[in-house]
Amino acid sequence: LFVLKYVRASHLLSFIGKYDYDLVVIGGGSGGLACSKEAAQLGQNVAVLDYVEPSIKGTKWGLGGTCVNVGCIPKKLMHQAALLGTAVKDAKKYGWQIPEPISHDWAAMAEAVQNHVRSLNWGHRVQLQDKKVKYLNMRGSLVDEHTVKGVTKAGKETILTAKNIVIATGGRPKYPTDIPGATEHGITSDDIFWLRKSPGKTLVVGASSDVALECAGFLTGIGLDATVMVRSIALRGFDQQMAALVTDYMETYGTKFAWKCIPKRVEKMPSGALQVTWTDLNTSKEQQDTYDCVLWAVGRAPETKILGLDKLGVQVSKETGKLIVHPDESTSVPIYAFGDIAEGRPELTPTAIKAGKLLAHRLAGRSTELMNYHNVPTTVFTPLEYGCVGLSEEDAEKRHGKDRIEVYHAFYKPLEFTVAERDASQCYLKVVCEGDGGQKILGLHFTGPNAGEVTQGFALSLKCGATYSHLLQTVGIHPTCAEEVIKVNITKRSGLDATVTGC
């Protein structure tokens, strides 16, 4: 009766054209916040609902979603901590007198990172207030296409009506359901950044996603024993030659890899250590080792459990559980969804932010521009960073044919590696181009220092239709790693040595 009452009310409101809000956004992550703030700036009356369910281990955080709290921000800061450790080692070669032994304080790092994250939580609250967006710390669910029910932690219910409803609830890490002890004794990326004590010797299970390698990388970089267990391949969906360079560097860097292995069970020993048993597919034998921490990085699941999608008949993917959306972010019913919860969309914060802002403009009647999901750049913040934009070499071959593409490539040595006597065997770049005509660039891939900074500018060039000729016409900035991209002149097809020589 409660629901029917409000369903009827929403139909009446629809008929007379009056709602509580112009827009209600369910989800206070980067995308949802961007959409709500943009809509408010366009004169819309907006409310955003956000409620963080604690992780299985009880980890909680504030407003801002995955990126701010348990993703991009803390990950990049801990990656920076690891890079500083390497820089300290390099510094000795550059004449710095550094007393031994050098050690890392996890608690100090974690506190500093967590304090920064909390400042961002507060900043988001202030921004919503300044832009007159109503923030409701509630679980949101759909009653109908114009009605949302919000429920507080204490169970108090609130009904909101809106002309438009947008879902931007993102996803959460998954635990394997078929491995005894996985949930009881393991953690995920929802927990690692909020640990007050060092995780110690860590097994990271999974390498298909970037988060697995990134976490293993910074754990190694701050001096911990880290092993990555890989069932199939690393960095699924990325260029596999580049993925191999990333993992090769990590192995040289000190990260261990258990290739072609499947975990079977996790048991807690009387000492408190975690004994992990796995099957080595190379030998078909069971193996065991003990760890202080087991970090599961085996994928993410969309946050749809309490949304009430089935009541409205919202179409979802049978494989992923994500909402099926059209190019304008509309679903199978008159509501909208974007970001990680939408099927086929890149799980990237800047993509969700851009898509959310564009959607706000369309819903406010200010624009018809759609999000362009092609040539979206990204970077994997592993010890040797990997930045890319456009097609992988494999995808370019599938779409255009191996004989109709040209791949220019180079192995180079960053100047800062020379005095430090660091191995640069995996510092590599390649530019995948169409084989004829103006040789339009289809994809660009780069491993090396500051890969994200290098890749961002070239991403702009791809948006502008850059060709290989444009690279040749560009003057480089010397001495930089980025200039190696515009100097690249050896093709894979030629079979010539692609090692850069000279300064």
Side-chain angles (χ1 to χ4, degrees):
L1 286 174
F2 174 80
V3 173
L4 282 173
K5 173 184 173 183
Y6 285 100
V7 169
R8 288 171 186 157
S10 74
H11 286 314
L12 176 61
L13 289 167
S14 178
F15 181 74
I16 64 176
K18 291 184 178 179
Y19 299 97
D20 299 328
Y21 297 94
D22 297 309
L23 175 66
V24 168
V25 178
I26 304 176
S30 300
L33 293 176
C35 182
S36 61
K37 288 185 288 186
E38 194 75 8
Q41 286 187 303
L42 296 170
Q44 300 280 287
N45 186 15
V46 185
V48 58
L49 288 80
D50 185 67
Y51 185 88
V52 180
E53 294 287 351
S55 73
I56 289 174
K57 296 300 172 187
T59 308
K60 295 181 288 186
W61 53 87
L63 183 65
T66 295
C67 176
V68 167
N69 295 284
V70 289
C72 324
I73 299 301
K75 171 195 73 181
K76 180 75 182 292
L77 290 172
M78 291 191 179
H79 169 62
Q80 174 65 11
L83 292 182
L84 289 171
T86 301
V88 169
K89 295 173 186 174
D90 289 353
K92 296 174 186 177
K93 297 284 186 179
Y94 282 91
W96 286 94
Q97 301 300 309
I98 299 171
E100 299 282 358
I102 299 168
S103 62
H104 181 267
D105 185 336
W106 172 279
M109 174 190 70
E111 183 180 9
V113 169
Q114 290 159 15
N115 285 341
H116 177 66
V117 169
R118 290 188 185 98
S119 75
L120 296 177
N121 298 148
W122 175 250
H124 282 309
R125 293 282 294 269
V126 171
Q127 285 177 24
L128 290 178
Q129 190 173 10
D130 288 347
K131 291 178 169 55
K132 296 180 170 54
V133 175
K134 181 69 173 178
Y135 165 61
L136 299 165
N137 185 209
M138 297 180 177
R139 301 177 181 90
S141 62
L142 301 169
V143 176
D144 63 30
E145 58 264 33
H146 294 289
T147 311
V148 170
K149 181 172 71 173
V151 182
T152 66
K153 183 180 180 181
K156 183 180 177 182
E157 295 185 354
T158 300
I159 292 293
L160 303 88
T161 61
K163 182 180 178 183
N164 291 301
I165 296 171
V166 170
I167 299 174
T169 49
R172 297 287 288 268
K174 293 191 293 188
Y175 277 92
T177 56
D178 58 343
I179 300 173
T183 305
E184 298 93 319
H185 307 306
I187 65 170
T188 69
S189 58
D190 274 359
D191 309 295
I192 184 74
F193 305 110
W194 291 89
L195 295 179
R196 294 183 179 180
K197 295 180 180 179
S198 170
K201 181 182 177 183
T202 301
L203 175 67
V204 181
V205 184
S208 293
S209 66
D210 50 2
V211 69
L213 298 185
E214 290 169 332
C215 288
F218 74 67
L219 291 173
T220 302
I222 61 175
L224 298 178
D225 185 325
T227 300
V228 182
M229 186 169 287
V230 191
R231 179 172 186 163
S232 53
I233 61 172
L235 295 178
R236 189 181 304 281
F238 287 88
D239 187 290
Q240 284 302 291
Q241 181 191 9
M242 307 306 290
L245 291 169
V246 167
T247 54
D248 285 351
Y249 184 90
M250 287 181 69
E251 288 190 286
T252 304
Y253 185 72
T255 306
K256 301 168 189 172
F257 282 82
W259 295 99
K260 303 294 181 185
C261 292
I262 302 176
K264 304 294 286 184
R265 60 186 176 275
V266 182
E267 300 165 291
K268 193 162 190 174
M269 309 298 286
S271 64
L274 302 176
Q275 181 174 274
V276 181
T277 304
W278 68 88
T279 300
D280 186 332
L281 298 178
N282 300 294
T283 62
S284 298
K285 294 181 178 178
E286 279 198 356
Q287 295 188 20
Q288 287 183 335
D289 200 353
T290 56
Y291 301 89
D292 299 310
C293 177
V294 176
L295 172 63
W296 298 102
V298 292
R300 298 177 67 83
E303 276 285 83
T304 59
K305 294 186 291 291
I306 65 166
L307 288 176
L309 301 176
D310 51 340
K311 288 189 297 185
L312 272 67
V314 181
Q315 244 186 325
V316 299
S317 165
K318 292 179 181 178
E319 289 78 27
T320 64
K322 294 185 177 186
L323 281 70
I324 295 172
V325 293
H326 303 116
D328 65 350
E329 322 300 352
S330 63
T331 68
S332 57
V333 302
I335 61 171
Y336 298 83
F338 70 94
D340 291 6
I341 200 165
E343 178 67 15
R345 303 304 195 217
E347 293 187 0
L348 297 168
T349 297
T351 314
I353 291 173
K354 181 71 173 173
K357 289 181 176 181
L358 289 172
L359 177 58
H361 279 260
R362 293 196 301 274
L363 294 179
R366 301 295 185 88
S367 170
T368 57
E369 183 183 356
L370 299 175
M371 176 66 188
N372 182 352
Y373 289 98
H374 298 293
N375 290 337
V376 173
T378 189
T379 292
V380 184
F381 291 102
T382 36
L384 186 70
E385 297 176 7
Y386 165 35
C388 61
V389 58
L391 298 180
S392 65
E393 186 175 347
E394 296 94 333
D395 285 344
E397 286 184 4
K398 288 175 186 174
R399 293 193 193 185
H400 298 271
K402 189 169 185 176
D403 295 333
R404 298 187 64 186
I405 64 169
E406 198 72 80
V407 180
Y408 295 88
H409 69 147
F411 286 95
Y412 69 98
K413 187 160 192 172
L415 182 62
E416 51 268 47
F417 279 31
T418 55
V419 171
E421 298 178 356
R422 286 172 62 184
D423 180 20
S425 303
Q426 289 84 29
C427 292
Y428 176 77
L429 65 93
K430 66 178 171 183
V431 182
V432 184
C433 305
E434 290 181 349
D436 50 16
Q439 289 199 307
K440 181 180 178 181
I441 298 174
L442 302 172
L444 188 147
H445 302 264
F446 177 96
T447 53
N450 306 302
E453 311 296 342
V454 172
T455 307
Q456 184 69 80
F458 288 108
L460 171 61
S461 72
L462 262 68
K463 284 289 185 185
C464 298
T467 65
Y468 178 63
S469 297
H470 289 136
L471 285 188
L472 296 183
Q473 293 163 18
T474 303
V475 176
I477 300 171
H478 186 71
T480 63
C481 295
E483 72 173 315
E484 301 301 341
V485 178
I486 58 95
K487 288 164 53 180
V488 67
N489 63 87
I490 303 294
T491 66
K492 278 193 172 184
R493 197 186 309 276
S494 72
L496 297 174
D497 183 4
T499 304
V500 174
T501 56
C503 70

